[in-house]
Amino acid sequence: MSGPAPIVSASRRRFLAAGSLTVGFSLLPSARLWAQATTEAGTFNASEPDLPGSLKTTPLLDAWIKIDAESRITVFTGKAELGTGIRTAFLQIAAEQLGVPPERLTVVTADTSVTPNEGYTAGSHSTADSGTAIANAAAQVRELLIQAAAAKLACDAATLTIEQGEIVSADGRRLSFGETVSGADLHRRAEPGRPTKDPKSFAIVGQSHPRVDIPGKVTGGASYVQDMRLPAMLHARVVRPPSYAATLASADIAGVRSLPGVVAVIRDGSYLAVVAEDEWQAIVAMRALSASATWNPGPPLPDQARLPETLLKLHTEEIPVANRKSTAAAAAKTLHARFTKPYLTHGAMGPSCALAQFDGTQMTVWTHTQGVFPLRKGIAEMLSMAPEHVRCVHVEGAGCYGHNGADDAAADAALIAHALPGRPVRVQWMREQEHMWEPFGPAMITDVAASIDATGQIVDWRFEIWSNTHNNRIENAGRLMPTWFLAKPFTPAPPKPIPMPEGGGDRNSIPLYRIPNVYVQHHFLPEMPIRVSAMRSLGAYHNVFTIESFIDELAMAAGTDPIDFRLRHLDDPRAQDVIRRAAQRFGWERNRPPSRWSGQGFGFAQYKNLMAYCAVAAHVSVERDTGQVTIERIVSAVDCGQIVNPDGVRNQIEGGIVQSASWTLFEETTFDRHTITSFDWSTYPILRFASAPRALDVELIDRPGRPFLGVGEAAQGPMAAALANAVAHATGLRVRALPMSPARLRTALEAQV
């Protein structure tokens, strides 16, 4: 295997050469009572509910930590590296608990043949679930190694120490991990309540260890699935219909098959693909086949200009989220507002790609999916194969947080490779295919009303949400878009909401503030006019944008500074701390009077009300004649519990802030009555370097010994609200329809005069 093959296979080759590891997913006691939990990462039966993190579902220690006779240590995780730096964080966590230098460890991520099944890498669960499991598994492995060494050295285990990956006795005798592991049974269940290291002794966790995935990326090395090349590999391209439900009438298959380098033209119903010896030949053949194809049109898309009205008319499933009632003072003022969010495009920087090889019995797929195990299930169903004959191996993709085209590209590769056994097949989407066929972030409507009493306290809160599902991940083969066009198409599993407390469209819809009367209702929309699924932070982005924008409006109605108003309504000391720290570092000017065309704004949330706390303060200037918003300065404070890699946390908060700024100021998926029209970067505007924050400062609040709190999606909602509040402060104009694009803002400012 040439090119980037070592990215996905080197650690497994070392692991397999050193000896086998039995991952005991099926060795759970049948009499044990199972507890079920559903999160964005998936629905899991917890065989060991008393264990921490993902040990609940995969309790065997050697499913997480492998040590061979040569002292090579391999750490396994079912989570995928998506650019968040989890491979480095997990390496640090395991190294800290084992007492070895991080360089001695190899981390293997998301491979259905060797890693635990942790569902999807989603919802900021990676460190909280997998990191916690790795920390506890490594700590217990360390204990077992010390006990085994004590037996070999005939000494008291309490007198042994670990130095640079060796176990050392009081008299100076040393044993390597490889020498010791033969006396330690790691194929055993983790035990609840076992101690991990005292955070005061940490030397690796809490330090900014260099990211292990960065060198290849900054030097142009093979880093992504898009870079993979396998021996004798074929190149494939797929011809997509012009619209979701269009059906193929005809195509010049024979003519395209005769083009130079073309190995095959595949037609299965309305599914069309070309396969060639090299990539350019595949592109030429795809273009020729696309030009020759005629299609029967499908039903029209809705009128984008009337999208909110369309969503409000759709059938709803009613989901009560909160209905808290308590005695409160009489309302003195009541405010009401409605906020809207458009469909958003993931727009991965590298269009989706996958490789697959079928040897007649076994199908192997290399993919940048966020869930190798759910994808394996979907592909197995699609091909009528047993799941054990399908292997999905995660390889990082070039950009994307959320459900983009990765799974569909994997399905393309598997379908084509299945038709051409023996040779590996690489499928690379084109840019317009990525933008037109990915599952978009759902459009949303939120309606909020609240009252304050004569003292300026909030006494009641009413919040309603209209949203499609935020989770159309691969529950069955029908969730794989290519299967819709087969001669025998598959039907997608019905869309379902994600239950609270994590939620989907209703994520972060319950204010964290102290309010005696709270009513929250989710009007779940099963019908999807546009294909949608998970996008980073799900409904939290729009819900926090709405809540925190409205909190500012209430503060103004109460005649109170927005920071003071928030602090007055919070009981959680960690929430208060993160707000104070951000405001202090920003130099927040309390009760600062509005200044035309320059303003400050604030936003705060605890992601899902149970993960990282994040506060954002923003200073913006607005160009009245153009509607252009310049982000002069951003300051953020974040509390994510125990910090593993400070630089990694800053990366995530900074990246989330920039992405949220792009969503909030520029992004909107567009379509006409027939098709998606935002099919490239010229028709789908994103934030450019010139519009990025001119200054961005992130303050970290470390909580050693406290649980890991997911941080990857903490900043999106607070940043959107901080921008909206700063724009309102600068202009006197409250924009409630996203995006606050220059054209929309200019029109609103002109109407204000």
Side-chain angles (χ1 to χ4, degrees), residues 239-249 270-271 290 293-302 432-433 435-438 440 481-482 484-485 528-531 671-677:
V239 174
R240 301 290 184 212
S243 59
Y244 285 136
T247 56
L248 183 64
S270 294
Y271 184 82
S290 179
T294 59
W295 301 85
N296 302 311
L301 296 176
E432 65 272 16
Q433 293 175 334
H435 276 231
M436 296 175 69
W437 285 95
E438 66 152 71
F440 301 102
M481 177 267 292
W484 305 348
F485 304 104
M528 295 169 289
I530 302 293
R531 187 189 185 201
F671 50 92
D672 57 23
R673 301 308 298 271
H674 306 288
T675 191
I676 305 298
T677 55

Side-chain angles (χ1 to χ4, degrees), residues 618-678:
H619 171 213
V620 307
S621 58
V622 180
E623 175 59 50
R624 184 188 183 280
D625 292 337
T626 64
Q628 181 71 40
V629 176
T630 299
I631 306 173
E632 304 287 357
R633 183 170 175 241
I634 298 293
V635 171
S636 177
V638 62
D639 173 356
C640 59
Q642 170 76 65
I643 293 175
V644 178
N645 187 325
D647 187 55
V649 174
R650 283 194 181 91
N651 291 163
Q652 286 305 292
I653 295 299
E654 290 171 358
I657 283 170
V658 171
Q659 183 178 44
S660 181
S662 185
W663 291 345
T664 305
L665 298 179
F666 298 102
E667 296 189 37
E668 180 175 15
T669 303
T670 60
F671 50 92
D672 57 23
R673 301 308 298 271
H674 306 288
T675 191
I676 305 298
T677 55
S678 49

Side-chain angles (χ1 to χ4, degrees), residues 184-456:
D185 178 16
L186 305 188
H187 188 63
R188 59 191 293 170
R189 286 175 178 77
E191 297 178 6
R194 302 300 300 173
T196 54
K197 277 189 176 180
D198 185 341
K200 294 178 182 177
S201 70
F202 284 177
I204 301 170
V205 165
Q207 303 301 312
S208 290
H209 188 81
R211 287 262 298 266
V212 297
D213 59 318
I214 294 298
K217 295 175 181 177
V218 300
T219 60
S223 301
Y224 301 111
V225 67
Q226 286 91 345
D227 301 322
M228 283 189 68
R229 299 294 185 271
L230 301 179
M233 185 175 73
L234 295 171
H235 294 264
R237 287 293 193 278
V238 178
V239 174
R240 301 290 184 212
S243 59
Y244 285 136
T247 56
L248 183 64
S250 65
D252 183 15
I253 293 175
V256 172
R257 189 178 286 131
S258 66
L259 292 175
V262 172
V263 173
V265 177
I266 295 171
R267 176 179 181 179
D268 185 338
S270 294
Y271 184 82
L272 275 179
V274 297
V275 187
E277 292 289 350
D278 71 38
E279 188 163 17
W280 180 244
Q281 290 170 336
I283 292 172
V284 169
M286 176 200 69
R287 289 174 175 171
L289 190 60
S290 179
S292 76
T294 59
W295 301 85
N296 302 311
L301 296 176
D303 180 359
Q304 184 171 16
R306 299 182 58 80
L307 181 59
E309 295 89 335
T310 298
L311 295 179
L312 290 172
K313 291 177 181 178
L314 294 177
H315 166 71
T316 64
E317 294 179 7
E318 296 301 318
I319 302 174
V321 179
N323 192 8
R324 182 170 68 234
K325 297 179 180 180
S326 183
T327 303
K333 292 182 182 178
T334 299
L335 303 183
H336 171 259
R338 177 165 288 180
F339 297 77
T340 61
K341 165 187 170 286
Y343 294 102
L344 293 176
T345 299
H346 293 88
M349 297 306 294
S352 293
C353 179
L355 286 79
Q357 185 166 11
F358 182 55
D359 65 7
T361 302
Q362 186 78 17
M363 174 69 72
T364 302
V365 182
W366 293 268
T367 166
H368 56 115
T369 179
Q370 289 185 261
V372 289
F373 284 91
L375 178 61
R376 178 179 71 169
K377 176 185 174 184
I379 287 177
E381 181 185 350
M382 177 182 74
L383 299 176
S384 298
M385 294 178 65
E388 58 267 26
H389 290 157
V390 177
R391 178 186 180 189
C392 291
V393 183
H394 180 267
V395 187
E396 195 172 349
C400 180
Y401 293 117
H403 182 185
N404 68 339
D407 297 300
D408 300 323
D412 284 330
L415 278 168
I416 297 166
H418 194 261
L420 297 168
R423 294 183 67 177
V425 174
R426 178 180 183 269
V427 172
Q428 172 70 67
W429 282 18
M430 307 298 283
R431 169 56 58 192
E432 65 272 16
Q433 293 175 334
E434 185 73 31
H435 276 231
M436 296 175 69
W437 285 95
E438 66 152 71
F440 301 102
M444 292 180 65
I445 299 170
T446 45
D447 192 279
V448 58
S451 303
I452 55 174
D453 64 19
T455 69

Side-chain angles (χ1 to χ4, degrees), residues 512 572-576 578 604-607 609 611-615 637-641 653 709-711 714:
L512 201 63
D572 186 336
R574 292 173 73 173
Q576 294 173 334
V578 80
F604 157 79
Q606 182 188 14
Y607 185 49
N609 289 2
M611 288 191 170
Y613 300 81
C614 182
V638 62
D639 173 356
C640 59
I653 295 299
L709 299 179
V711 74

